[in-house]
Amino acid sequence: MRDATDDVPTLHRRSFLKHTGALGAAAAVSASLSACSAGPESTIDIGGGRQGPNRTLTAVIGYGNDGNWDPTQTASAFCMAGNNHLYEGLLDTDPVSREPYAALATRVPADPNSTTWRFTLRPGATFHDGRPVTADDVVFVFDRILDPDTQTLAKGFFAPWLKQVDRIDARTVELVLKFPFPEGLARLTLAKVMPEHVYSRPGAWDEAIKGLAVGSGPYRLSAHHPKSNTTFEAFDGYNGPRPPAFRKMNWLTIVDAAPRVARISGAAAGAQLADNIPYADIAHLESGGLTVAGGHGMNNLFLMFNTGRAPFDDVRVRQALHYAIDTEKMVEVALKGHGRPATSFLDESNPAHRRAQTVYGHDPDRARSLLKQAGVSGLEIDILAVNVSWIVDCLPTVKSSWDAIGVRTTLSPQETTAVFTKMDQKRDYQVVAAASNPNQFGLDADLIMRYNHGPENLWMGYARWAGDPVARQLFRDMDRATREPDPARKRAMIQDCVDVVAEQAVLYPVVHNELMTAWDPGELAGIRAQPYPGINVLQAKWA
């Protein structure tokens, strides 16, 4: 086994977005997309036995572990979940409620509407290599995120409202905001504090992408095997609010549904916990004594159109293809009732959700009429799709719906990393179908919109839409909404932006679905199903 601090075999070089796949979990963006690359079923057992307090927690993750592990760049479902156990922010958030709590900082600021937030670091906080966490490390990470010459996913979550981060003394930092932005407190969990003495070395950020992880969290990375498994050990030097309950953890990456379910079920079950449970297996797992629970959130199947290629540059064609899809059938057949047709870019459980002005109910006659108005006939589409199991289940409904309005449709599912490598290489395509879940990053509507829509956003580059006049106006309106101090007015302004996104249908959800997690209640306590891919065991323990 290769230790995480050793040289990791070089992965195919892609931009940071491609390294994460989901395109989902978050699902979704190239490397800032949620990673879901398929890999072989792991046979590695790091030991510990099945009994006793020092036994190994084995979990099965339905997404690839070969995505981008750099916390400033990744949207990989597996990597983000792992990083939440390896690193800390000044504040972190509860995995379900998303309420911020003091992590490396000693307290949450009393005034969220202040334009300066001062944080004192937790006494005795150390990194996994034994070095103390200092204010310089905090400034180092925020300087990277805010650097105009460095492209990171995190920049879009901070640069619009955060001006700078200053060192006050060795254990104190001050964040200076451009304007009051209370939503920023929850976003601080996205700025994982990383040791300057490690990541300032030449080539260290490339090593971070491939799995170099030195944080201050309750677990340290003990070994990393891309497309197989990643192992963790309790960090004995951790003195924070959520101490490790498991001496060792072995997270297996198994994208294919059948072997993933087999790992957690039956007399020979080799794992106590698994995410991304197929809906068809729920009853079987429950009958075997497992607990299966779901979380409703932003997880969605979306369509992204290449607006640089006719006829997808015509909004009527994009709308027609959405109106054509029998979403109720998709929910019933593919999702077994564990989903809802999209009524907005935001899911219905989001606090800011309001039904969009344009809702794509199943209306094949309207779809045909829109195609006719656009002067389009004899259209043939090849859907470039990710091979995430539930997405593959949904694709036949898309094909049959489009075939029914005279659009000859073929399906081309493949690994998420392959799909977004094509995007990063600016390959030609017509339509992408993939999974996304911005809830990996948080719940606030401003963040969710910026994850997919923004002038420098890779998604907009993929869709070739950033230069469109409608897009440019949308970006200006989003900036105004971010700066709006009145909460009610801000919400209304964001909704106006959501309505534009719905009408334009450049990158838009078809359905929002429920994500299922299964675990053995005889082995584990404190597990909660989260509404985005991955797992969080920071409040779990042996039963």
Side-chain angles (χ1 to χ4, degrees):
M1 296 177 66
R2 181 182 294 271
D3 187 85
T5 59
D6 292 340
D7 291 334
V8 181
T10 301
L11 301 178
H12 177 66
R13 296 297 309 174
R14 321 173 184 88
S15 74
F16 78 86
L17 239 110
K18 344 170 223 298
H19 281 287
T20 66
L23 235 168
V29 172
S30 88
S32 283
L33 305 168
S34 292
C36 301
S37 56
E41 179 181 357
S42 172
T43 57
I44 296 174
D45 183 355
I46 63 172
R50 295 282 294 174
Q51 302 297 326
N54 292 326
R55 63 192 186 277
T56 297
L57 167 64
T58 301
V60 187
I61 312 298
Y63 305 90
N65 74 337
D66 59 337
N68 187 335
W69 284 79
D70 175 358
T72 71
Q73 297 190 33
T74 192
S76 159
F78 192 111
C79 304
M80 286 194 70
N83 284 342
N84 285 335
H85 296 75
L86 299 168
Y87 296 95
E88 298 176 281
L90 290 169
L91 305 180
D92 281 327
T93 59
D94 181 88
V96 177
S97 72
R98 313 313 290 267
E99 285 296 315
Y101 64 89
L104 268 175
T106 55
R107 65 178 181 85
V108 178
D111 183 6
N113 290 296
S114 175
T115 55
T116 59
W117 294 331
R118 183 166 290 197
F119 296 96
T120 299
L121 298 180
R122 185 177 71 236
T126 60
F127 290 114
H128 298 154
D129 61 2
R131 297 274 290 271
V133 181
T134 70
D136 291 327
D137 299 306
V138 178
V139 173
F140 168 73
V141 169
F142 277 103
D143 280 352
R144 172 175 169 80
I145 291 172
L146 298 177
D147 182 359
D149 297 324
T150 301
Q151 181 59 50
T152 63
L153 177 64
K155 180 188 296 184
F157 301 146
F158 289 94
W161 57 273
L162 181 60
K163 181 179 179 181
Q164 64 193 56
V165 177
D166 297 324
R167 178 188 189 276
I168 304 302
D169 59 38
R171 290 185 49 243
T172 308
V173 295
E174 186 171 82
L175 276 62
V176 181
L177 282 59
K178 297 176 182 178
F179 46 83
F181 192 70
E183 296 91 340
L185 290 177
R187 294 193 193 184
L188 294 182
T189 188
L190 303 175
K192 300 302 187 186
V193 177
M194 307 169 73
E196 182 178 14
H197 66 273
V198 172
Y199 293 99
S200 62
R201 293 184 292 104
W205 289 113
D206 286 337
E207 294 179 46
I209 289 172
K210 295 178 286 187
L212 173 65
V214 181
S216 62
Y219 295 91
R220 69 177 189 88
L221 196 64
S222 53
H224 176 53
H225 305 271
K227 294 195 175 185
S228 177
N229 73 316
T230 302
T231 64
F232 307 78
E233 292 183 357
F235 174 42
D236 291 333
Y238 179 76
N239 68 345
R242 299 195 174 181
F246 309 102
R247 294 306 304 168
K248 296 181 180 180
M249 299 193 296
N250 186 21
W251 290 15
L252 312 178
T253 170
I254 305 179
V255 175
D256 293 339
R260 184 168 67 252
V261 171
R263 275 283 182 165
I264 196 173
S265 61
Q272 301 96 2
L273 172 66
D275 80 340
N276 198 17
I277 296 299
Y279 306 120
D281 291 299
I282 294 174
H284 164 68
L285 294 177
E286 290 179 334
S287 68
L290 298 181
T291 297
V292 184
H296 283 288
M298 186 70 188
N299 208 65
N300 67 86
L301 160 64
F302 70 85
L303 297 178
M304 178 173 66
F305 295 94
N306 180 357
T307 64
R309 175 172 175 170
F312 309 108
D313 56 340
D314 191 321
V315 65
R316 294 169 296 185
V317 174
R318 302 192 297 265
Q319 289 181 342
L321 293 170
H322 271 279
Y323 278 120
I325 299 174
D326 190 344
T327 51
E328 295 288 352
K329 177 182 177 182
M330 183 181 289
V331 168
E332 177 185 358
V333 175
L335 304 182
K336 310 299 182 187
H338 293 274
R340 300 167 181 156
T343 58
S344 168
F345 187 74
L346 303 174
D347 64 282
E348 293 185 9
S349 61
N350 189 287
H353 174 272
R354 190 193 77 192
R355 189 177 176 88
Q357 290 185 354
T358 304
V359 176
Y360 296 101
H362 183 216
D363 193 341
D365 289 337
R366 187 169 186 177
R368 294 187 189 95
S369 175
L370 285 166
L371 289 178
K372 184 176 180 180
Q373 292 174 32
V376 174
S377 62
L379 183 58
E380 298 182 8
I381 295 179
D382 179 51
I383 301 178
L384 180 61
V386 300
N387 68 342
V388 178
S389 56
W390 70 271
I391 295 290
V392 173
D393 291 341
C394 290
L395 291 177
T397 301
V398 179
K399 173 177 167 53
S400 63
S401 297
W402 287 1
D403 286 344
I405 64 168
V407 175
R408 294 184 58 186
T409 308
T410 57
L411 304 174
S412 298
Q414 50 198 268
E415 288 190 6
T416 298
T417 49
V419 171
F420 286 94
T421 293
K422 291 181 172 68
M423 297 296 98
D424 290 326
Q425 294 173 347
K426 302 188 184 303
R427 301 269 194 92
D428 190 29
Y429 75 97
Q430 294 175 291
V431 184
V432 164
S436 179
N437 196 330
N439 284 165
Q440 288 184 124
F441 306 101
L443 288 178
D444 76 82
D446 178 276
L447 178 151
I448 291 171
M449 285 289 291
R450 288 183 179 279
Y451 176 68
N452 286 128
H453 300 85
E456 298 179 0
N457 189 291
L458 285 180
W459 287 112
M460 294 294 92
Y462 294 157
R464 279 72 155 171
W465 195 58
D468 186 280
V470 177
R472 292 199 297 268
Q473 183 60 52
L474 172 66
F475 304 151
R476 289 192 290 268
D477 291 343
M478 288 171 58
D479 285 341
R480 282 193 286 269
T482 299
R483 292 176 174 273
E484 174 57 46
D486 179 76
R489 176 60 182 156
K490 172 180 284 193
R491 181 166 176 167
M493 293 170 70
I494 291 176
Q495 183 59 50
D496 289 342
C497 295
V498 170
D499 287 339
V500 172
V501 167
E503 178 189 43
Q504 292 297 309
V506 171
L507 189 161
Y508 200 70
V510 176
V511 290
H512 291 103
N513 71 311
E514 185 178 22
L515 291 175
M516 311 304 296
T517 301
W519 65 92
D520 184 345
E523 293 274 349
L524 296 174
I527 299 293
R528 292 181 293 164
Q530 57 191 35
Y532 49 96
I535 59 172
N536 187 302
V537 297
L538 294 181
Q539 294 174 290
K541 61 183 179 180
W542 293 118

